[in-house]
Amino acid sequence: SSSSAASDVYKRQGDNIASALGEAITHNTTLLYLTISTSGPDYGQLSDKAAVELGQALKINSTLKEFTTTNQSIGEVGIQALADALSTNSTLTILNIKSIFSDKSTVDPILKAMAKNTSITHLDLSNTKLKSPVALFEMLKNNKNLTHLDLSGMVEKLDENETKEFCESIVHNLNIKHLALSRWKWKGSHVDFVKTLPLEYFCFSYWDISGDIFDNLLRGIMEKNTIKNVSWHGNNFSDSILKSFGSLLEKNCSLESLNFEGMNISVQGVKYLCEGLKKNTSVTTVSFRKLENPIGDEGAIAIAQLLKLNRTITSLNLYRLDIKDQGMKAIGEALTENNVLKILDVQYNSCSATGFEDFCAFVVKNQSLEKCIVYSSDCPKEVQNKIDQHTSKKESQK
């Protein structure tokens, strides 16, 4: 009973604060950004009364540009009140309604309102619930203003027909440059929308796709030639996929970053990537950090051969890959022929103290590195100090 009483107190306090906040926003002419968020494992209770107060304020306020609510338990009445405000508000450009914890509430009313809204360009509805994908499809067909859209975790599953309709709907908006659809559990072969949209960033993490669908998606990304960054964790990068992707890398001139951190990629897969990157002229950042399958000396030698030829990669992460003396020596030798790499992380590999000392002798001959991290239990402290002293000179000369 004491817990229930405390909850009632907090709810009344929250309602009072929201009422005062709504009143303030109604009359305020300078506030540009508003965030209502609860951090930690708990979530906030943005009651229906509070949401209605805020909704009324958003209808009247003419200066607020960004509204964010995160980790709140908003009821159906509250969601509808916010949606009603969005239908008429013409000043908001960024809307983030993320992580709504409510058994009944869905963001379908928000999507219906967004079909009419003409000012919002950035929309984040990640980790919210959707009652019917129809509301989403209609919003995508009718809204032509969005440039950033994050629907990660919203759709746990679409059947093949619904996936097709999503693809046909989203291509109506030809302004979307940033698209995040993490954890969608994609079904079907419909991925051609990536060739149509002017995407610069695309997240398809944890789609759990493989085979021809994955290959077609990667081809679409690479052929579009506008996408600079992708997030793709939780998908099956088989050797055959990476062989095909490596070939595409030879021709692509837009992708700037490749992040394979923690992923299950074989040594052969790394070799395919390195072959493609030898001729690539756009990728500047590569991370093989903590691969699930450590590549050891064999993979390190392939990377060393890449460093001798590539002239665009400026940042390389080889953290904890079980690289031993032979692999570290190969990378060190490659550094004497590379004059573009600026950041190198080889921490927590399996090199001996002697191997680190030999590696250091190569590093101090390099003229481009501004940061090289070699920390390991077997790495003598004076080796890291000597490397730091050398790279700090390059940093100070910038």
Side-chain angles (χ1 to χ4, degrees), residues 144-199:
K144 302 294 191 298
N145 307 298
L146 292 175
T147 60
H148 290 61
L149 180 61
D150 191 339
L151 304 176
S152 297
M154 173 193 279
V155 180
E156 294 182 358
K157 185 178 180 181
L158 292 177
D159 62 34
E160 189 162 354
N161 289 332
E162 289 170 334
T163 300
K164 181 181 179 182
E165 188 167 356
F166 169 82
C167 296
E168 292 173 347
S169 300
I170 198 169
V171 295
H172 285 266
N173 193 323
L174 295 178
N175 293 311
I176 296 179
K177 296 180 179 181
H178 178 116
L179 179 62
L181 305 175
S182 178
R183 302 186 304 281
W184 268 45
K185 300 296 182 183
W186 197 261
K187 299 295 181 183
S189 58
H190 308 287
V191 292
D192 285 347
F193 67 93
V194 298
K195 298 179 181 179
T196 305
L197 298 176
L199 295 176

Tab-separated table of all heavy atoms in Angstrom, residues 144-199:
chain	number	residue	atom	x	y	z
A	144	LYS	N	6.019	13.887	-47.529
A	144	LYS	CA	7.106	14.095	-48.487
A	144	LYS	C	8.242	14.941	-47.904
A	144	LYS	O	9.094	15.420	-48.642
A	144	LYS	CB	6.565	14.791	-49.753
A	144	LYS	CG	5.443	14.047	-50.457
A	144	LYS	CD	5.913	12.723	-51.031
A	144	LYS	CE	4.866	12.112	-51.949
A	144	LYS	NZ	3.590	11.789	-51.288
A	145	ASN	N	8.221	15.121	-46.576
A	145	ASN	CA	9.170	16.045	-45.960
A	145	ASN	C	10.299	15.367	-45.194
A	145	ASN	O	11.309	16.001	-44.897
A	145	ASN	CB	8.435	16.983	-44.990
A	145	ASN	CG	7.273	17.678	-45.649
A	145	ASN	OD1	7.440	18.426	-46.597
A	145	ASN	ND2	6.078	17.406	-45.152
A	146	LEU	N	10.141	14.110	-44.852
A	146	LEU	CA	11.101	13.439	-43.977
A	146	LEU	C	12.457	13.253	-44.648
A	146	LEU	O	12.549	12.804	-45.791
A	146	LEU	CB	10.564	12.080	-43.539
A	146	LEU	CG	9.359	12.095	-42.600
A	146	LEU	CD1	8.864	10.676	-42.353
A	146	LEU	CD2	9.709	12.770	-41.284
A	147	THR	N	13.503	13.595	-43.895
A	147	THR	CA	14.870	13.320	-44.340
A	147	THR	C	15.547	12.289	-43.436
A	147	THR	O	16.456	11.597	-43.868
A	147	THR	CB	15.725	14.601	-44.338
A	147	THR	OG1	15.774	15.140	-43.012
A	147	THR	CG2	15.139	15.641	-45.286
A	148	HIS	N	15.089	12.197	-42.170
A	148	HIS	CA	15.629	11.243	-41.195
A	148	HIS	C	14.469	10.448	-40.596
A	148	HIS	O	13.537	11.042	-40.036
A	148	HIS	CB	16.380	11.955	-40.074
A	148	HIS	CG	17.675	12.572	-40.511
A	148	HIS	ND1	17.736	13.559	-41.467
A	148	HIS	CD2	18.959	12.329	-40.112
A	148	HIS	CE1	18.997	13.907	-41.647
A	148	HIS	NE2	19.750	13.181	-40.846
A	149	LEU	N	14.552	9.125	-40.695
A	149	LEU	CA	13.477	8.276	-40.193
A	149	LEU	C	14.059	7.075	-39.464
A	149	LEU	O	14.833	6.309	-40.030
A	149	LEU	CB	12.603	7.800	-41.362
A	149	LEU	CG	11.409	6.887	-41.015
A	149	LEU	CD1	10.433	7.611	-40.100
A	149	LEU	CD2	10.712	6.431	-42.295
A	150	ASP	N	13.701	6.934	-38.181
A	150	ASP	CA	14.165	5.804	-37.372
A	150	ASP	C	12.950	5.044	-36.846
A	150	ASP	O	12.192	5.545	-36.017
A	150	ASP	CB	15.021	6.294	-36.199
A	150	ASP	CG	15.740	5.141	-35.478
A	150	ASP	OD1	15.285	3.985	-35.610
A	150	ASP	OD2	16.742	5.401	-34.790
A	151	LEU	N	12.777	3.822	-37.354
A	151	LEU	CA	11.680	2.953	-36.948
A	151	LEU	C	12.211	1.662	-36.327
A	151	LEU	O	11.550	0.632	-36.340
A	151	LEU	CB	10.794	2.625	-38.158
A	151	LEU	CG	10.218	3.818	-38.928
A	151	LEU	CD1	9.450	3.333	-40.153
A	151	LEU	CD2	9.313	4.662	-38.041
A	152	SER	N	13.411	1.720	-35.781
A	152	SER	CA	14.052	0.534	-35.214
A	152	SER	C	13.197	-0.066	-34.092
A	152	SER	O	12.714	0.653	-33.216
A	152	SER	CB	15.433	0.892	-34.666
A	152	SER	OG	16.285	1.332	-35.694
A	153	GLY	N	13.027	-1.379	-34.143
A	153	GLY	CA	12.303	-2.072	-33.091
A	153	GLY	C	10.807	-1.873	-33.125
A	153	GLY	O	10.089	-2.418	-32.283
A	154	MET	N	10.292	-1.104	-34.079
A	154	MET	CA	8.849	-0.871	-34.151
A	154	MET	C	8.121	-2.076	-34.710
A	154	MET	O	7.062	-2.480	-34.215
A	154	MET	CB	8.541	0.352	-35.016
A	154	MET	CG	7.046	0.547	-35.255
A	154	MET	SD	6.682	1.741	-36.550
A	154	MET	CE	6.868	3.248	-35.627
A	155	VAL	N	8.671	-2.670	-35.741
A	155	VAL	CA	8.010	-3.781	-36.440
A	155	VAL	C	8.793	-5.058	-36.182
A	155	VAL	O	9.896	-5.235	-36.691
A	155	VAL	CB	7.932	-3.507	-37.958
A	155	VAL	CG1	7.250	-4.667	-38.656
A	155	VAL	CG2	7.188	-2.203	-38.216
A	156	GLU	N	8.229	-5.928	-35.377
A	156	GLU	CA	8.920	-7.179	-35.079
A	156	GLU	C	8.847	-8.158	-36.249
A	156	GLU	O	9.738	-8.969	-36.449
A	156	GLU	CB	8.312	-7.812	-33.826
A	156	GLU	CG	8.540	-6.992	-32.555
A	156	GLU	CD	7.983	-7.661	-31.334
A	156	GLU	OE1	7.376	-8.747	-31.475
A	156	GLU	OE2	8.138	-7.107	-30.227
A	157	LYS	N	7.773	-8.052	-37.024
A	157	LYS	CA	7.632	-9.004	-38.125
A	157	LYS	C	6.634	-8.480	-39.149
A	157	LYS	O	5.558	-8.012	-38.813
A	157	LYS	CB	7.149	-10.365	-37.592
A	157	LYS	CG	7.089	-11.452	-38.654
A	157	LYS	CD	6.651	-12.771	-38.035
A	157	LYS	CE	6.586	-13.872	-39.087
A	157	LYS	NZ	6.138	-15.164	-38.498
A	158	LEU	N	7.025	-8.531	-40.427
A	158	LEU	CA	6.122	-8.270	-41.542
A	158	LEU	C	6.119	-9.505	-42.427
A	158	LEU	O	7.165	-10.115	-42.648
A	158	LEU	CB	6.596	-7.070	-42.366
A	158	LEU	CG	6.556	-5.675	-41.735
A	158	LEU	CD1	7.131	-4.656	-42.715
A	158	LEU	CD2	5.140	-5.287	-41.360
A	159	ASP	N	4.940	-9.881	-42.936
A	159	ASP	CA	4.938	-10.991	-43.880
A	159	ASP	C	5.437	-10.477	-45.230
A	159	ASP	O	5.691	-9.284	-45.414
A	159	ASP	CB	3.555	-11.637	-43.987
A	159	ASP	CG	2.477	-10.689	-44.506
A	159	ASP	OD1	2.779	-9.821	-45.344
A	159	ASP	OD2	1.312	-10.820	-44.061
A	160	GLU	N	5.565	-11.350	-46.190
A	160	GLU	CA	6.181	-10.973	-47.461
A	160	GLU	C	5.373	-9.912	-48.197
A	160	GLU	O	5.929	-8.989	-48.800
A	160	GLU	CB	6.372	-12.198	-48.350
A	160	GLU	CG	7.198	-11.909	-49.584
A	160	GLU	CD	7.762	-13.167	-50.240
A	160	GLU	OE1	7.605	-14.250	-49.666
A	160	GLU	OE2	8.349	-13.030	-51.325
A	161	ASN	N	4.044	-10.005	-48.146
A	161	ASN	CA	3.204	-9.009	-48.808
A	161	ASN	C	3.331	-7.648	-48.145
A	161	ASN	O	3.363	-6.613	-48.819
A	161	ASN	CB	1.742	-9.462	-48.801
A	161	ASN	CG	1.492	-10.627	-49.734
A	161	ASN	OD1	2.193	-10.786	-50.741
A	161	ASN	ND2	0.515	-11.462	-49.419
A	162	GLU	N	3.415	-7.645	-46.809
A	162	GLU	CA	3.559	-6.384	-46.083
A	162	GLU	C	4.934	-5.761	-46.343
A	162	GLU	O	5.065	-4.542	-46.452
A	162	GLU	CB	3.353	-6.616	-44.589
A	162	GLU	CG	1.906	-6.931	-44.228
A	162	GLU	CD	1.751	-7.396	-42.795
A	162	GLU	OE1	2.732	-7.945	-42.231
A	162	GLU	OE2	0.658	-7.229	-42.232
A	163	THR	N	5.955	-6.603	-46.447
A	163	THR	CA	7.292	-6.112	-46.782
A	163	THR	C	7.278	-5.448	-48.158
A	163	THR	O	7.859	-4.374	-48.346
A	163	THR	CB	8.309	-7.261	-46.778
A	163	THR	OG1	8.344	-7.867	-45.488
A	163	THR	CG2	9.702	-6.765	-47.130
A	164	LYS	N	6.599	-6.066	-49.098
A	164	LYS	CA	6.491	-5.498	-50.442
A	164	LYS	C	5.782	-4.155	-50.406
A	164	LYS	O	6.207	-3.191	-51.054
A	164	LYS	CB	5.741	-6.469	-51.356
A	164	LYS	CG	5.590	-5.972	-52.789
A	164	LYS	CD	4.813	-6.974	-53.642
A	164	LYS	CE	4.653	-6.452	-55.061
A	164	LYS	NZ	3.860	-7.405	-55.899
A	165	GLU	N	4.698	-4.063	-49.620
A	165	GLU	CA	3.946	-2.809	-49.546
A	165	GLU	C	4.775	-1.714	-48.868
A	165	GLU	O	4.694	-0.544	-49.255
A	165	GLU	CB	2.631	-3.010	-48.791
A	165	GLU	CG	1.731	-1.791	-48.870
A	165	GLU	CD	0.313	-2.063	-48.416
A	165	GLU	OE1	-0.010	-3.226	-48.101
A	165	GLU	OE2	-0.482	-1.105	-48.374
A	166	PHE	N	5.576	-2.089	-47.867
A	166	PHE	CA	6.454	-1.103	-47.240
A	166	PHE	C	7.418	-0.521	-48.276
A	166	PHE	O	7.609	0.696	-48.344
A	166	PHE	CB	7.243	-1.741	-46.099
A	166	PHE	CG	8.349	-0.869	-45.570
A	166	PHE	CD1	8.070	0.124	-44.648
A	166	PHE	CD2	9.658	-1.020	-46.008
A	166	PHE	CE1	9.080	0.962	-44.167
A	166	PHE	CE2	10.672	-0.197	-45.542
A	166	PHE	CZ	10.377	0.801	-44.620
A	167	CYS	N	8.026	-1.383	-49.067
A	167	CYS	CA	8.983	-0.939	-50.085
A	167	CYS	C	8.317	-0.029	-51.115
A	167	CYS	O	8.895	0.980	-51.538
A	167	CYS	CB	9.615	-2.142	-50.774
A	167	CYS	SG	10.608	-3.181	-49.691
A	168	GLU	N	7.102	-0.370	-51.502
A	168	GLU	CA	6.382	0.440	-52.484
A	168	GLU	C	5.954	1.777	-51.887
A	168	GLU	O	5.836	2.772	-52.609
A	168	GLU	CB	5.150	-0.328	-52.990
A	168	GLU	CG	5.520	-1.555	-53.820
A	168	GLU	CD	4.299	-2.396	-54.173
A	168	GLU	OE1	3.230	-2.162	-53.571
A	168	GLU	OE2	4.411	-3.291	-55.031
A	169	SER	N	5.751	1.808	-50.574
A	169	SER	CA	5.296	3.034	-49.911
A	169	SER	C	6.439	4.003	-49.665
A	169	SER	O	6.312	5.211	-49.890
A	169	SER	CB	4.610	2.696	-48.579
A	169	SER	OG	3.494	1.868	-48.772
A	170	ILE	N	7.569	3.490	-49.204
A	170	ILE	CA	8.648	4.380	-48.782
A	170	ILE	C	9.300	5.109	-49.960
A	170	ILE	O	9.850	6.203	-49.794
A	170	ILE	CB	9.715	3.614	-47.963
A	170	ILE	CG1	10.568	4.608	-47.162
A	170	ILE	CG2	10.580	2.719	-48.862
A	170	ILE	CD1	11.459	3.960	-46.144
A	171	VAL	N	9.221	4.554	-51.150
A	171	VAL	CA	9.841	5.226	-52.302
A	171	VAL	C	9.066	6.464	-52.734
A	171	VAL	O	9.522	7.217	-53.606
A	171	VAL	CB	10.008	4.263	-53.500
A	171	VAL	CG1	10.974	3.154	-53.166
A	171	VAL	CG2	8.661	3.693	-53.939
A	172	HIS	N	7.894	6.713	-52.115
A	172	HIS	CA	7.163	7.950	-52.398
A	172	HIS	C	7.872	9.148	-51.782
A	172	HIS	O	7.647	10.284	-52.207
A	172	HIS	CB	5.731	7.862	-51.850
A	172	HIS	CG	4.833	6.988	-52.666
A	172	HIS	ND1	4.017	7.481	-53.656
A	172	HIS	CD2	4.629	5.646	-52.644
A	172	HIS	CE1	3.338	6.489	-54.208
A	172	HIS	NE2	3.685	5.361	-53.610
A	173	ASN	N	8.676	8.892	-50.750
A	173	ASN	CA	9.401	9.982	-50.101
A	173	ASN	C	10.842	9.970	-50.572
A	173	ASN	O	11.665	9.180	-50.096
A	173	ASN	CB	9.338	9.814	-48.570
A	173	ASN	CG	9.792	11.062	-47.852
A	173	ASN	OD1	10.722	11.744	-48.289
A	173	ASN	ND2	9.154	11.359	-46.737
A	174	LEU	N	11.164	10.847	-51.493
A	174	LEU	CA	12.485	10.857	-52.117
A	174	LEU	C	13.461	11.816	-51.439
A	174	LEU	O	14.455	12.224	-52.036
A	174	LEU	CB	12.348	11.206	-53.600
A	174	LEU	CG	11.586	10.179	-54.441
A	174	LEU	CD1	11.464	10.651	-55.870
A	174	LEU	CD2	12.266	8.817	-54.373
A	175	ASN	N	13.167	12.160	-50.177
A	175	ASN	CA	14.062	13.035	-49.423
A	175	ASN	C	14.786	12.302	-48.299
A	175	ASN	O	15.664	12.874	-47.656
A	175	ASN	CB	13.279	14.211	-48.829
A	175	ASN	CG	12.753	15.141	-49.895
A	175	ASN	OD1	13.490	15.546	-50.787
A	175	ASN	ND2	11.471	15.475	-49.830
A	176	ILE	N	14.411	11.065	-48.024
A	176	ILE	CA	14.981	10.337	-46.883
A	176	ILE	C	16.451	10.014	-47.135
A	176	ILE	O	16.798	9.305	-48.074
A	176	ILE	CB	14.200	9.040	-46.598
A	176	ILE	CG1	12.767	9.369	-46.174
A	176	ILE	CG2	14.890	8.228	-45.512
A	176	ILE	CD1	11.906	8.152	-45.905
A	177	LYS	N	17.307	10.548	-46.259
A	177	LYS	CA	18.744	10.314	-46.354
A	177	LYS	C	19.265	9.420	-45.223
A	177	LYS	O	20.317	8.800	-45.357
A	177	LYS	CB	19.490	11.646	-46.334
A	177	LYS	CG	19.186	12.542	-47.529
A	177	LYS	CD	19.965	13.844	-47.459
A	177	LYS	CE	19.669	14.714	-48.664
A	177	LYS	NZ	20.432	15.987	-48.624
A	178	HIS	N	18.533	9.397	-44.123
A	178	HIS	CA	18.933	8.621	-42.949
A	178	HIS	C	17.778	7.696	-42.603
A	178	HIS	O	16.697	8.152	-42.226
A	178	HIS	CB	19.244	9.572	-41.786
A	178	HIS	CG	19.624	8.887	-40.512
A	178	HIS	ND1	20.873	9.015	-39.943
A	178	HIS	CD2	18.931	8.065	-39.685
A	178	HIS	CE1	20.920	8.313	-38.826
A	178	HIS	NE2	19.751	7.733	-38.647
A	179	LEU	N	18.021	6.378	-42.713
A	179	LEU	CA	16.949	5.403	-42.473
A	179	LEU	C	17.447	4.285	-41.568
A	179	LEU	O	18.448	3.632	-41.864
A	179	LEU	CB	16.468	4.811	-43.807
A	179	LEU	CG	15.350	3.758	-43.732
A	179	LEU	CD1	14.086	4.359	-43.138
A	179	LEU	CD2	15.065	3.178	-45.115
A	180	ALA	N	16.747	4.074	-40.444
A	180	ALA	CA	17.117	3.017	-39.499
A	180	ALA	C	15.935	2.082	-39.296
A	180	ALA	O	14.856	2.508	-38.867
A	180	ALA	CB	17.554	3.623	-38.165
A	181	LEU	N	16.156	0.813	-39.618
A	181	LEU	CA	15.110	-0.215	-39.503
A	181	LEU	C	15.642	-1.418	-38.736
A	181	LEU	O	15.378	-2.566	-39.093
A	181	LEU	CB	14.631	-0.648	-40.893
A	181	LEU	CG	14.130	0.450	-41.841
A	181	LEU	CD1	13.821	-0.143	-43.211
A	181	LEU	CD2	12.892	1.147	-41.269
A	182	SER	N	16.384	-1.180	-37.676
A	182	SER	CA	16.993	-2.267	-36.916
A	182	SER	C	15.930	-3.179	-36.306
A	182	SER	O	14.855	-2.729	-35.904
A	182	SER	CB	17.855	-1.670	-35.796
A	182	SER	OG	18.425	-2.678	-35.005
A	183	ARG	N	16.249	-4.492	-36.268
A	183	ARG	CA	15.414	-5.519	-35.633
A	183	ARG	C	14.033	-5.645	-36.281
A	183	ARG	O	13.023	-5.794	-35.603
A	183	ARG	CB	15.260	-5.243	-34.125
A	183	ARG	CG	16.577	-5.177	-33.380
A	183	ARG	CD	16.399	-5.061	-31.878
A	183	ARG	NE	15.586	-3.922	-31.516
A	183	ARG	CZ	16.023	-2.667	-31.476
A	183	ARG	NH1	17.275	-2.388	-31.806
A	183	ARG	NH2	15.219	-1.685	-31.126
A	184	TRP	N	14.003	-5.628	-37.593
A	184	TRP	CA	12.735	-5.778	-38.300
A	184	TRP	C	12.425	-7.228	-38.696
A	184	TRP	O	11.315	-7.515	-39.110
A	184	TRP	CB	12.724	-4.885	-39.545
A	184	TRP	CG	12.132	-3.542	-39.272
A	184	TRP	CD1	12.386	-2.742	-38.206
A	184	TRP	CD2	11.172	-2.853	-40.075
A	184	TRP	NE1	11.664	-1.580	-38.291
A	184	TRP	CE2	10.896	-1.617	-39.446
A	184	TRP	CE3	10.533	-3.116	-41.268
A	184	TRP	CZ2	10.002	-0.685	-39.953
A	184	TRP	CZ3	9.646	-2.186	-41.794
A	184	TRP	CH2	9.381	-0.988	-41.134
A	185	LYS	N	13.368	-8.121	-38.618
A	185	LYS	CA	13.143	-9.512	-39.040
A	185	LYS	C	12.539	-9.552	-40.443
A	185	LYS	O	11.426	-10.024	-40.686
A	185	LYS	CB	12.235	-10.247	-38.041
A	185	LYS	CG	12.777	-10.314	-36.633
A	185	LYS	CD	14.066	-11.115	-36.562
A	185	LYS	CE	14.574	-11.227	-35.134
A	185	LYS	NZ	15.861	-11.942	-35.035
A	186	TRP	N	13.311	-9.055	-41.381
A	186	TRP	CA	12.854	-8.853	-42.766
A	186	TRP	C	12.443	-10.161	-43.434
A	186	TRP	O	13.124	-11.172	-43.330
A	186	TRP	CB	13.977	-8.207	-43.551
A	186	TRP	CG	13.561	-7.582	-44.838
A	186	TRP	CD1	13.678	-8.122	-46.087
A	186	TRP	CD2	12.985	-6.287	-45.008
A	186	TRP	NE1	13.210	-7.246	-47.029
A	186	TRP	CE2	12.769	-6.102	-46.393
A	186	TRP	CE3	12.620	-5.273	-44.132
A	186	TRP	CZ2	12.223	-4.936	-46.920
A	186	TRP	CZ3	12.070	-4.114	-44.653
A	186	TRP	CH2	11.878	-3.967	-46.030
A	187	LYS	N	11.327	-10.127	-44.136
A	187	LYS	CA	10.841	-11.278	-44.889
A	187	LYS	C	10.694	-10.911	-46.361
A	187	LYS	O	10.270	-9.803	-46.685
A	187	LYS	CB	9.490	-11.753	-44.342
A	187	LYS	CG	9.520	-12.207	-42.890
A	187	LYS	CD	10.373	-13.452	-42.711
A	187	LYS	CE	10.365	-13.905	-41.269
A	187	LYS	NZ	11.256	-15.071	-41.066
A	188	GLY	N	11.032	-11.838	-47.229
A	188	GLY	CA	10.868	-11.597	-48.657
A	188	GLY	C	12.107	-10.989	-49.286
A	188	GLY	O	13.076	-10.644	-48.619
A	189	SER	N	12.071	-10.840	-50.598
A	189	SER	CA	13.227	-10.402	-51.376
A	189	SER	C	13.133	-8.945	-51.810
A	189	SER	O	13.920	-8.493	-52.630
A	189	SER	CB	13.365	-11.290	-52.620
A	189	SER	OG	12.174	-11.227	-53.404
A	190	HIS	N	12.195	-8.206	-51.254
A	190	HIS	CA	11.945	-6.838	-51.709
A	190	HIS	C	12.895	-5.868	-50.991
A	190	HIS	O	12.644	-5.438	-49.870
A	190	HIS	CB	10.495	-6.455	-51.437
A	190	HIS	CG	9.511	-7.444	-51.960
A	190	HIS	ND1	9.242	-7.586	-53.303
A	190	HIS	CD2	8.752	-8.373	-51.329
A	190	HIS	CE1	8.341	-8.541	-53.473
A	190	HIS	NE2	8.033	-9.038	-52.291
A	191	VAL	N	13.973	-5.514	-51.674
A	191	VAL	CA	14.964	-4.600	-51.102
A	191	VAL	C	15.377	-3.509	-52.095
A	191	VAL	O	16.330	-2.767	-51.845
A	191	VAL	CB	16.220	-5.378	-50.633
A	191	VAL	CG1	15.909	-6.265	-49.445
A	191	VAL	CG2	16.815	-6.194	-51.792
A	192	ASP	N	14.651	-3.372	-53.176
A	192	ASP	CA	15.040	-2.422	-54.216
A	192	ASP	C	14.890	-0.962	-53.792
A	192	ASP	O	15.411	-0.067	-54.467
A	192	ASP	CB	14.224	-2.656	-55.489
A	192	ASP	CG	14.678	-3.902	-56.248
A	192	ASP	OD1	15.761	-4.405	-55.909
A	192	ASP	OD2	13.953	-4.354	-57.131
A	193	PHE	N	14.185	-0.711	-52.676
A	193	PHE	CA	13.998	0.674	-52.251
A	193	PHE	C	15.326	1.376	-51.962
A	193	PHE	O	15.422	2.599	-52.073
A	193	PHE	CB	13.094	0.746	-51.012
A	193	PHE	CG	13.694	0.154	-49.763
A	193	PHE	CD1	14.397	0.966	-48.879
A	193	PHE	CD2	13.542	-1.190	-49.472
A	193	PHE	CE1	14.948	0.432	-47.728
A	193	PHE	CE2	14.084	-1.731	-48.319
A	193	PHE	CZ	14.797	-0.912	-47.448
A	194	VAL	N	16.371	0.602	-51.615
A	194	VAL	CA	17.673	1.225	-51.330
A	194	VAL	C	18.290	1.825	-52.596
A	194	VAL	O	19.147	2.709	-52.520
A	194	VAL	CB	18.664	0.223	-50.683
A	194	VAL	CG1	18.141	-0.261	-49.349
A	194	VAL	CG2	18.953	-0.938	-51.613
A	195	LYS	N	17.856	1.365	-53.750
A	195	LYS	CA	18.368	1.908	-55.009
A	195	LYS	C	17.650	3.208	-55.393
A	195	LYS	O	18.158	3.981	-56.195
A	195	LYS	CB	18.196	0.896	-56.142
A	195	LYS	CG	18.949	-0.409	-55.945
A	195	LYS	CD	18.686	-1.349	-57.115
A	195	LYS	CE	19.386	-2.674	-56.941
A	195	LYS	NZ	19.121	-3.608	-58.069
A	196	THR	N	16.471	3.418	-54.821
A	196	THR	CA	15.645	4.563	-55.193
A	196	THR	C	15.848	5.756	-54.271
A	196	THR	O	15.947	6.898	-54.720
A	196	THR	CB	14.157	4.164	-55.185
A	196	THR	OG1	13.965	3.034	-56.038
A	196	THR	CG2	13.282	5.314	-55.652
A	197	LEU	N	15.920	5.503	-52.958
A	197	LEU	CA	16.046	6.587	-51.993
A	197	LEU	C	17.455	7.179	-52.012
A	197	LEU	O	18.428	6.456	-52.215
A	197	LEU	CB	15.735	6.075	-50.578
A	197	LEU	CG	14.325	5.528	-50.347
A	197	LEU	CD1	14.213	4.972	-48.937
A	197	LEU	CD2	13.292	6.612	-50.570
A	198	PRO	N	17.605	8.477	-51.739
A	198	PRO	CA	18.925	9.117	-51.730
A	198	PRO	C	19.638	8.913	-50.391
A	198	PRO	O	20.122	9.866	-49.773
A	198	PRO	CB	18.587	10.593	-51.975
A	198	PRO	CG	17.260	10.770	-51.317
A	198	PRO	CD	16.519	9.472	-51.558
A	199	LEU	N	19.704	7.686	-49.933
A	199	LEU	CA	20.221	7.383	-48.597
A	199	LEU	C	21.711	7.695	-48.472
A	199	LEU	O	22.504	7.414	-49.364
A	199	LEU	CB	20.004	5.902	-48.266
A	199	LEU	CG	18.559	5.429	-48.140
A	199	LEU	CD1	18.524	3.928	-47.901
A	199	LEU	CD2	17.842	6.163	-47.016
